[in-house]
Amino acid sequence: MKRYAFPRLWAPERLAAMGCALLLAACSSKPPVPDWQMNAQAAATKATEAYLSGKARVEQLEWERARAEVARTGRADLLARLELMRCAAKVASLEVGPCERFEALRPDAAAPERAYADYLAGRVSPQQLPLLPEAQRKVAASGDVATLAAIEDPLSRLVAAGVLFQAGRASPAVMAAATDTASAQGWRRPLLAWLLLQAQRAEAAGDAEAAAALRRRVGIAEQGAAPVK
């Protein structure tokens, strides 16, 4: 899935195969993309967007659809990758906690997926770093805001910021970058999480003016929001 820089469920050739099937008769000899792949990708994308927007009911339904489609393959390793996608979105929104569904599948997960899960939990080892996606690997190594800002994909950027927060390495500049990223995408859930974090830090530092400004932004973000359950 090109939009999200998580461990992939589908090979890069998937989009090319779809393009051939839909647009070019000359490519008709290529095998069709299995229905489960297309259905699972669509459901996982909708579920992630719903989660980030705070639409809990839609999120739950779409994750259930995605899991059902992947389960058709009988492959625990693919199901483990799917669970990592959900956990990564939670880390981006500062929803810290064990990735329980993945952990149940860890024995059948590949080494890159195990490394990514440990990275999301803030306990990746130096030996695992080469197994991470390039963007996350660079941020894990440096921890600086410039490297974070260089990540093109907004959700990947938020994931990296969330991991830095878990590791106690989120500077004010990192928190501001994460807030700006969520704001630009209109993702209420991570936006509220990062704004509230910044407000709490400002209050703890005795900066009442900055805290009040951040609280006002929280109020604006909450206007018209779907209930977050």
Side-chain angles (χ1 to χ4, degrees), residues 83-100:
E83 296 302 342
L84 283 179
M85 290 178 60
R86 186 175 190 180
C87 290
K90 289 184 176 182
V91 169
S93 302
L94 300 181
E95 190 174 334
V96 179
C99 191
E100 294 179 351

Side-chain angles (χ1 to χ4, degrees), residues 37-224:
Q37 286 190 9
M38 292 187 290
N39 295 341
Q41 174 175 337
T45 299
K46 290 177 182 178
T48 302
E49 291 286 353
Y51 171 79
L52 295 170
S53 300
K55 300 175 182 177
R57 183 173 179 275
V58 175
E59 175 208 352
Q60 181 179 353
L61 290 173
E62 293 299 337
W63 278 126
E64 289 175 356
R65 290 191 179 100
R67 289 192 194 97
E69 291 295 334
V70 176
R72 291 168 56 185
T73 68
R75 289 182 56 179
D77 60 327
L78 295 183
L79 198 58
R81 294 182 191 179
L82 183 69
E83 296 302 342
L84 283 179
M85 290 178 60
R86 186 175 190 180
C87 290
K90 289 184 176 182
V91 169
S93 302
L94 300 181
E95 190 174 334
V96 179
C99 191
E100 294 179 351
R101 287 179 178 267
F102 171 82
E103 292 303 326
L105 298 163
R106 180 183 281 269
D108 297 304
E113 280 67 50
R114 295 196 298 271
Y116 194 76
D118 291 341
Y119 169 71
L120 292 179
R123 59 171 187 263
V124 67
S125 68
Q127 293 76 23
Q128 291 175 308
L129 284 178
L131 300 176
L132 296 178
E134 181 179 3
Q136 306 295 336
R137 183 169 64 247
K138 289 181 178 179
V139 173
S142 71
D144 63 73
V145 70
T147 307
L148 181 72
I151 299 178
E152 294 184 3
D153 179 74
L155 188 50
S156 294
R157 196 182 312 137
L158 281 176
V159 171
V163 171
L164 289 177
F165 169 74
Q166 284 201 90
R169 301 168 65 195
S171 66
V174 166
M175 289 186 277
T179 302
D180 291 344
T181 298
S183 176
Q185 298 300 314
W187 289 336
R188 285 194 184 97
R189 189 186 293 266
L191 175 60
L192 287 171
W194 286 99
L195 283 173
L196 288 170
L197 175 63
Q198 286 185 292
Q200 291 165 2
R201 295 291 176 89
E203 289 165 353
D207 192 342
E209 184 177 353
L214 289 162
R215 295 285 181 184
R216 287 195 295 273
R217 288 192 66 186
V218 169
I220 293 172
E222 288 177 336
Q223 292 178 15

Side-chain angles (χ1 to χ4, degrees), residues 20-21 23-30:
C20 289
L23 300 176
L24 300 176
C27 294
S28 60
S29 61
K30 290 192 174 183

